[in-house]
């Protein structure tokens, strides 16, 4: 009787709970990178403690599973938060920025040639020398730096253990809604300061532990590879595929790989490690067959093969620099090898989840990598496709099925990540992947091993390497020249296409595939939104993009778009048009610029104009230096700044240029934008100096328009230079907001303190894109609403104590 009165104890599905917990833990790690602040550690600890107490007693199955999921989710969030907090705790004090500092340490990667004839490398700091007294002994300074040695691109550093004098600044980069963010990359890689080298000398007394010794060996391996194969015509590809060093790649290489969607071929990842693993498994199996029958049990043979696969994969990963993608691929090879070779009776999906959890456990920063999402999505697609097929496939058919499925499955992910998906990529990968897998990689690995054993064998293998890689490069170059239109579609359309693509290769019956194909064709030909028409915007909007030391502004209302200036560009290195303007225009659905105004021909205002004109339709171009800008555009018609008043939606656009100014800063085309209903005014003066400011004010007083604005937003002339923003200019215009578009800690020192003091005296609200990031101004109910990008930025960019949080306008 007493047993019947006891509370029933429920049995739980342990396997299901473990799988659910793994998923929840992974979601917790990923969740952190959607937050703008780090969760307080005491709250996370309290939550874990409460959930653990809740699980200590008997529970109904549903409550048990909810608590397990909650505990795992908070555990994942706590794990990632702890690592992120630890990384952010290494801070370069603001007082040390732009100061000459002395550090000792060792090279953390292979130096490579960079822009402006520089030598770029990562540096692991072991000691800081001669720090100011105010920097306490307990201060945690950065231990990983990203450095450039300007003017020494062709030189070699005096060893791998060094003492250097450097000038540093905190992590900082352009902050815009979409596009590449340098600060994301720096945080992901662990760099807590960047800078330049002023003096360097060897320092053999630096203590060299395991990590230092490995890095030294990897640099020695690169030097050996350069000596053995450096005279090869395709050495850049050999170095990328053999030791994972892409520093010898030129812009032409990247252009071809990007155009054909084959960049992944030169990034050591799952494909390369998978090939090494397959080769190692094949060789180990053939050697085991040479042993007498029954000398080893089947289980022992599997263990030997598994050990061989992991050992060879680890050696290749170490030779390839043991980078983040390589480590992730190694974990996935380990999980896949354990499943296949150790006869684990577990669903293949559980192995994928195990690999996912292992990657996030060992590297909680992995969700910041695009490769993380692409690799796991690709594997998931392949599992879904081949596990759903009832019959096997031959090699050729299987390869085609895999490529089509991955092409369609990765399409939405690439769109979300802001990457293009070239249509020619499908054909390029159908050719390149088998060639690299069956010819190039085996040849490179075999050639490298033989050359390491047999001196002088490199001269025999170089022609073979060049022959195999020439075939690959000829095909890719040929495909890159195809005039194939890019894929432009909304995310729901792309998701639908991805579903249809996977369905086509998964469905077992031909009739179902035919139906799916017909639906796809109908979708393709069905007329959508008119091509070239911009989305409708109900409220007037002006965006000042963060392009560093430069300027670019977007003005929109209804369907009409005006862009003022295109930001800076350094050929082969950086283009604001490519990195900022085009991704953000695409994100807004803008397909046409009605008017492009290039204030003048200086690089920081017109650097990206050619790239912008090549990528998007432009109605007309207006400039203060039409001849110079026309040359940049290869003869495209450019109108001068003497333009009539223009309507852009409900906005009024006025143009002005000083008489006699034909070149240089004073030739800047000044644009005044007015919203008549609210009286809000924006003034974009380019780089005019105080002399031209006086002429503008004189013309303004004659037209009696200086007092019309109910509120005025001014972009400071010439980024706040002391040659502009005269006292009369500031006093007469009396702006409510002034925006400086200057680079962070730039050598020009913009904005100048005397200029900022003038605007402060009249009570103007000062903003700097170096601090705020991009700015969005919208007229809502005849009021100006202003948003700074840093207010919605992730915790590693806008967090307390970081560069943007402590950024101040002088």
């Amino acid at each position: 009787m007493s047993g019947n009165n006891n509370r029933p104890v429920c049995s739980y599905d342990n396997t299901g709970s473990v799988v659910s917990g793994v998923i929840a833990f992974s979601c917790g790690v990923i969740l952190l990178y959607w937050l703008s602040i780090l969760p307080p550690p005491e709250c996370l600890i309290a939550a874990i403690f409460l959930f653990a107490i809740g699980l200590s007693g008997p529970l109904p199955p549903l409550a048990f599973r909810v608590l397990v999921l909650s505990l795992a989710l908070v555990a994942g969030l706590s794990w990632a938060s702890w690592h992120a907090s630890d990384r952010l705790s290494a801070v370069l004090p603001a007082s040390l920025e732009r100061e000459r500092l002395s550090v000792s340490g060792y090279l953390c990667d292979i130096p490579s040639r960079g822009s402006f004839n520089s030598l770029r490398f990562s540096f692991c700091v072991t000691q800081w020398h001669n720090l100011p007294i105010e920097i306490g002994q307990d201060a945690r300074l950065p231990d990983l730096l990203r450095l450039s040695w300007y003017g020494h691109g062709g030189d070699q550093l005096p060893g791998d253990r060094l003492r250097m004098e450097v000038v540093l600044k905190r992590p900082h980069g352009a902050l815009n809604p979409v596009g590449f963010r340098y600060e994301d990359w720096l945080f992901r890689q662990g760099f807590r300061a960047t800078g330049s080298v002023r003096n360097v000398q060897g320092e053999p007394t630096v203590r060299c532990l395991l990590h230092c010794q490995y890095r030294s060996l990897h640099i020695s391996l690169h030097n050996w590879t350069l000596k053995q194969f450096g005279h090869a015509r395709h050495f850049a590809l050999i170095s990328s595929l053999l030791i994972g060093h892409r520093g010898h790649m030129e812009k032409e290489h990247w252009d071809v790989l990007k155009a054909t969607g084959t960049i992944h071929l030169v990034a050591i990842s799952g494909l390369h490690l998978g090939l090494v693993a397959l080769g190692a498994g094949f060789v180990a199996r053939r050697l085991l067959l040479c042993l007498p029958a029954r000398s080893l049990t089947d289980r022992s043979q599997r263990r030997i093969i598994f050990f061989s696969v992991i050992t060879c994969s680890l050696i290749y990963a170490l030779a390839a620099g043991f980078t983040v993608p390589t480590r992730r691929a190694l974990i996935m090879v380990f999980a896949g090898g354990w499943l296949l070779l150790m006869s684990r009776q577990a669903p293949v999906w559980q192995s994928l989840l195990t690999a996912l959890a292992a990657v996030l456990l060992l590297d909680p920063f992995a969700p910041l990598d695009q490769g993380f999402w692409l690799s796991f999505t690709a594997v998931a697609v392949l599992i879904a496709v081949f596990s759903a097929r009832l019959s096997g496939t031959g090699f050729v058919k299987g390869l085609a099925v895999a490529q089509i499925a991955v092409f369609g499955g990765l399409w939405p992910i690439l769109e979300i990540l802001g990457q293009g998906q070239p249509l020619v990529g499908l054909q390029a990968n159908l050719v390149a992947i088998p060639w690299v897998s069956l010819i190039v990689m085996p040849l490179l690995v075999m050639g490298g091993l033989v050359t390491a054993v047999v001196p002088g064998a490199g001269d025999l293998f170089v022609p073979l390497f060049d022959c195999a890689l020439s075939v690959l490069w000829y095909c890719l170059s040929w495909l890159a020249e195809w005039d194939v239109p890019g894929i432009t579609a909304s995310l729901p359309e792309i998701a639908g296409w991805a579903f249809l693509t996977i369905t086509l290769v998964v469905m077992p019956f031909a009739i179902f595939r035919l139906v799916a194909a017909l639906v796809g064709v109908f979708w393709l030909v069905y007329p959508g939104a008119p091509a070239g028409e911009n989305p409708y915007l109900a409220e007037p909007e002006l965006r000042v993009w963060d392009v560093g030391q430069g300027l670019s502004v977007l003005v929109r209302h209804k369907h009409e778009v005006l862009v003022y200036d295109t930001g800076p560009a350094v050929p082969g290195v950086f283009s604001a048009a490519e990195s900022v303007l085009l991704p953000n225009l695409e994100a807004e659905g803008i397909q046409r610029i009605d008017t492009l105004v290039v204030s003048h021909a200086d690089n920081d205002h017109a650097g990206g104009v050619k790239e912008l004109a090549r990528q998007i339709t432009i109605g007309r171009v207006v400039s203060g230096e039409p001849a110079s800008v026309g040359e940049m555009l290869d003869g495209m018609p450019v109108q001068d700044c003497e333009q009539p008043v223009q309507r852009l939606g409900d906005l009024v656009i006025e143009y002005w240029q000083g008489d006699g100014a034909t070149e240089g800063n004073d030739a800047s085309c000044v644009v005044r934008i007015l919203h008549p209903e609210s009286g809000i005014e924006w003034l974009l003066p380019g780089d005019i100096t105080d002399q031209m400011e006086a002429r503008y004010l004189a013309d303004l007083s004659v037209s009696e328009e200086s007092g019309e604005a109910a509120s005025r937003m001014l972009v400071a002339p010439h980024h706040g230079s002391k040659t502009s923003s005269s006292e009369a200019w500031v006093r007469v215009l009396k702006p409510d907001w002034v925006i400086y578009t200057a680079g962070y800690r730039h050598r020009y020192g913009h904005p100048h303190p005397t200029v900022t003091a003038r605007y402060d005296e009249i009570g103007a609200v000062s903003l700097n894109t170096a601090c705020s990031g991009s700015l969005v101004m919208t007229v809502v109910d005849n009021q100006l609403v202003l948003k700074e990008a840093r207010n919605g930025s992730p915790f590693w960019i806008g967090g307390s104590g970081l560069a943007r949080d402590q950024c101040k306008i002088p």
Side-chain angles (χ1 to χ4, degrees):
M1 291 290 294
S2 60
N4 293 334
N5 292 331
N6 291 338
R7 183 178 179 179
V9 178
C10 300
S11 62
Y12 307 116
D13 180 5
N14 291 331
T15 301
S17 298
V18 170
V19 171
S20 301
V22 166
I23 295 174
F25 175 85
S26 303
C27 290
V29 174
I30 294 170
L31 174 63
L32 178 73
Y33 300 105
W34 290 82
L35 304 179
S36 57
I37 60 172
L38 277 172
E42 55 272 15
C43 294
L44 295 174
I45 294 172
I48 291 175
F49 181 72
L50 291 175
F51 289 137
I53 291 177
L55 287 170
S56 62
L59 293 169
L62 180 60
F64 176 81
R65 177 154 293 187
V66 169
L67 282 178
V68 167
L69 290 175
S70 302
L71 178 61
L73 181 73
V74 176
L77 185 62
S78 302
W79 180 250
S81 179
W82 176 59
H83 281 81
S85 178
D86 179 70
R87 178 163 291 184
L88 292 174
S89 65
V91 177
L92 180 73
S95 61
L96 296 184
E97 288 189 289
R98 309 302 301 173
E99 296 293 329
R100 198 158 177 146
L101 305 170
S102 178
V103 294
S104 295
Y106 57 91
L107 293 177
C108 287
D109 65 4
I110 300 170
S112 59
R113 190 161 187 164
S115 57
F116 305 109
N117 190 29
S118 66
L119 194 68
R120 297 181 304 175
F121 55 92
S122 305
F123 191 70
C124 290
V125 179
T126 58
Q127 186 178 359
W128 294 76
H129 303 281
N130 305 322
L131 291 172
I133 298 177
E134 59 268 19
I135 306 299
Q137 295 294 325
D138 297 333
R140 186 183 173 192
L141 298 174
D143 55 9
L144 184 60
L145 309 177
R146 183 64 173 171
L147 299 175
S148 297
W149 192 19
Y150 290 101
H152 297 270
D155 296 344
Q156 288 188 349
L157 291 165
D160 48 54
R161 285 181 280 175
L162 307 165
R163 178 163 178 166
M164 297 185 292
E165 289 187 355
V166 296
V167 175
L168 303 174
K169 62 181 180 180
R170 298 199 234 184
H172 192 279
L175 180 58
N176 296 284
V178 297
F180 175 72
R181 288 208 291 225
Y182 188 46
E183 282 174 272
D184 290 352
W185 183 82
L186 290 174
F187 175 70
R188 170 64 185 103
Q189 301 299 324
F191 297 111
R192 301 309 303 146
T194 63
S196 58
V197 177
R198 301 305 168 87
N199 186 32
V200 59
Q201 62 185 24
E203 185 68 24
T205 60
V206 170
R207 190 179 181 188
C208 195
L209 300 179
L210 183 61
H211 184 257
C212 171
Q213 293 175 13
Y214 164 66
R215 288 302 169 190
S216 178
L217 286 173
H218 191 237
I219 293 172
S220 299
L221 177 62
H222 167 261
N223 294 335
W224 177 84
T225 306
L226 184 62
K227 180 180 178 180
Q228 299 296 328
F229 310 119
H231 56 289
R233 188 167 68 254
H234 293 288
F235 177 72
L237 296 176
I238 295 171
S239 175
S240 299
L241 293 170
L242 201 56
I243 60 171
H245 178 58
R246 299 183 288 178
H248 299 284
M249 301 282 285
E250 303 288 344
K251 181 179 182 298
E252 292 73 17
H253 291 106
W254 295 116
D255 289 343
V256 170
L257 294 172
K258 183 179 179 180
T260 55
T262 52
I263 290 180
H264 63 93
L265 291 178
V266 295
I268 303 301
S269 57
L271 171 66
H272 308 80
L273 251 71
L275 293 172
V276 171
L278 287 174
F282 174 79
V283 172
R285 178 62 178 165
R286 301 306 299 178
L287 291 176
L288 287 174
L289 290 176
C290 298
L291 297 176
R294 297 183 180 180
S295 60
L296 292 173
T297 65
D298 182 67
R299 184 177 183 84
S300 298
Q301 291 185 32
R302 288 178 179 271
R303 287 180 176 177
I304 293 173
I305 294 174
F306 177 73
F307 179 78
S308 303
V309 166
I310 297 304
T311 301
C312 291
S313 298
L314 177 61
I315 292 173
Y316 180 62
L318 291 171
F322 214 57
T323 59
V324 170
T326 307
R327 295 196 297 267
R328 181 173 62 244
L330 184 64
I331 293 172
M332 298 182 73
V333 167
F334 184 93
W338 183 263
L339 172 70
L340 295 175
L341 297 174
M342 301 306 291
S343 295
R344 305 298 299 175
Q345 300 300 316
V348 67
W349 287 106
Q350 287 189 16
S351 298
L352 179 64
L353 292 175
T354 302
L356 173 64
V359 167
L360 294 175
L361 184 66
L362 297 175
D363 182 15
F365 300 101
L368 293 173
D369 285 331
Q370 293 184 354
F372 168 81
W373 300 97
L374 296 174
S375 59
F376 275 102
T377 301
V379 173
V381 167
L382 293 175
I383 291 174
V385 168
F386 287 102
S387 63
R389 298 182 71 88
L390 300 179
S391 59
T393 58
F395 174 78
V396 176
K397 185 177 180 181
L399 178 64
V401 166
Q403 286 302 306
I404 294 172
V406 170
F407 181 85
L410 293 185
W411 192 356
I413 305 299
L414 288 167
E415 185 68 20
I416 293 171
L417 296 175
Q419 295 189 19
Q421 173 77 306
L423 282 172
V424 75
L426 179 59
Q427 296 92 321
N429 280 283
L430 280 172
V431 173
I433 289 179
W435 187 257
V436 170
S437 303
L438 301 177
I439 304 296
V440 174
M441 283 301 297
L443 183 59
L444 287 178
V445 172
M446 181 178 66
L449 292 175
V450 172
T451 304
V453 176
V454 181
D459 293 335
L460 299 177
F461 279 99
V462 163
L464 297 177
F465 291 171
D466 277 336
C467 180
L469 290 170
S470 293
V471 173
L472 172 68
W473 199 248
Y474 175 81
C475 293
L476 293 181
S477 301
W478 178 62
L479 290 169
E481 295 175 357
W482 282 18
D483 188 16
V484 179
I487 301 173
T488 56
S490 65
L491 188 57
E493 290 174 331
I494 290 173
W497 267 108
F499 174 77
L500 284 174
T501 303
I502 297 174
T503 302
L504 280 170
V505 298
V506 169
M507 281 186 172
F509 302 112
I511 185 64
F512 292 154
R513 297 184 195 176
L514 178 61
V515 171
L518 291 175
V519 172
V521 171
F522 173 76
W523 199 338
L524 181 64
V525 301
Y526 182 77
E533 182 177 347
N534 296 322
Y536 183 83
L537 190 67
E539 305 292 348
E541 179 183 275
L542 185 142
R543 293 177 180 244
V544 180
W545 280 312
D546 181 6
V547 295
Q549 184 73 19
L551 178 64
S552 186
V553 179
L554 170 70
V555 184
R556 299 176 63 192
H557 192 210
K558 298 182 178 177
H559 293 290
E560 298 179 69
V561 171
L562 179 146
V563 170
Y564 184 89
D565 284 345
T566 59
V570 179
V573 179
F574 169 80
S575 168
E578 183 178 7
S579 300
V580 179
L581 275 68
L582 288 167
N584 282 275
L585 290 171
E586 182 179 355
E588 295 296 319
I590 295 173
Q591 303 180 49
R592 170 187 169 86
I593 297 173
D594 298 287
T595 302
L596 172 61
V597 181
V598 181
S599 61
H600 61 302
D602 281 5
N603 180 271
D604 56 337
H605 293 257
V609 66
K610 186 173 182 178
E611 179 70 16
L612 187 67
R614 190 174 67 88
Q615 297 284 353
I616 195 169
T617 302
I618 298 176
R620 64 169 183 157
V621 181
V622 176
S623 178
E625 295 185 83
S628 298
V629 174
E631 291 179 5
M632 296 178 185
L633 295 173
D634 298 327
M636 180 177 176
V638 179
Q639 303 174 18
D640 60 35
C641 193
E642 294 183 8
Q643 299 291 319
V645 175
Q646 173 188 350
R647 300 287 298 197
L648 189 141
D650 293 340
L651 299 173
V652 176
I653 312 293
E654 298 177 356
Y655 300 87
W656 182 90
Q657 186 178 29
D659 293 337
T662 58
E663 63 180 9
N665 290 340
D666 278 340
S668 296
C669 184
V670 179
V671 171
R672 177 175 178 260
I673 306 164
L674 178 67
H675 184 243
E677 186 178 347
S678 64
I680 296 173
E681 175 191 297
W682 295 270
L683 187 60
L684 311 177
D687 278 354
I688 60 172
T689 64
D690 49 7
Q691 294 181 354
M692 204 56 61
E693 290 173 355
R695 295 190 191 181
Y696 180 83
L697 294 177
D699 289 351
L700 196 64
S701 62
V702 170
S703 62
E704 298 181 353
E705 292 177 348
S706 59
E708 284 189 7
S711 59
R712 176 177 286 129
M713 190 286 299
L714 170 69
V715 173
H718 201 186
H719 320 287
S721 166
K722 63 182 180 180
T723 61
S724 303
S725 294
S726 63
E727 292 184 6
W729 171 268
V730 175
R731 184 180 64 255
V732 172
L733 292 181
K734 205 174 295 184
D736 299 280
W737 293 273
V738 59
I739 297 176
Y740 305 102
T741 56
Y744 179 74
R745 300 279 185 179
H746 197 271
R747 65 182 184 276
Y748 290 156
H750 295 156
H752 196 273
T754 58
V755 170
T756 60
R758 289 170 189 160
Y759 287 108
D760 289 342
E761 288 176 2
I762 58 128
V765 177
S766 296
L767 300 166
N768 189 347
T769 53
C771 303
S772 303
S774 64
L775 300 164
V776 180
M777 288 155 279
T778 309
V779 180
V780 180
D781 296 329
N782 290 331
Q783 298 293 320
L784 186 65
V785 178
L786 187 146
K787 296 180 180 178
E788 301 176 65
R790 69 173 172 183
N791 292 335
S793 63
F795 61 82
W796 61 88
I797 293 179
S800 176
L802 301 182
R804 289 188 186 273
D805 177 60
Q806 297 183 348
C807 181
K808 299 185 184 301
I809 299 174

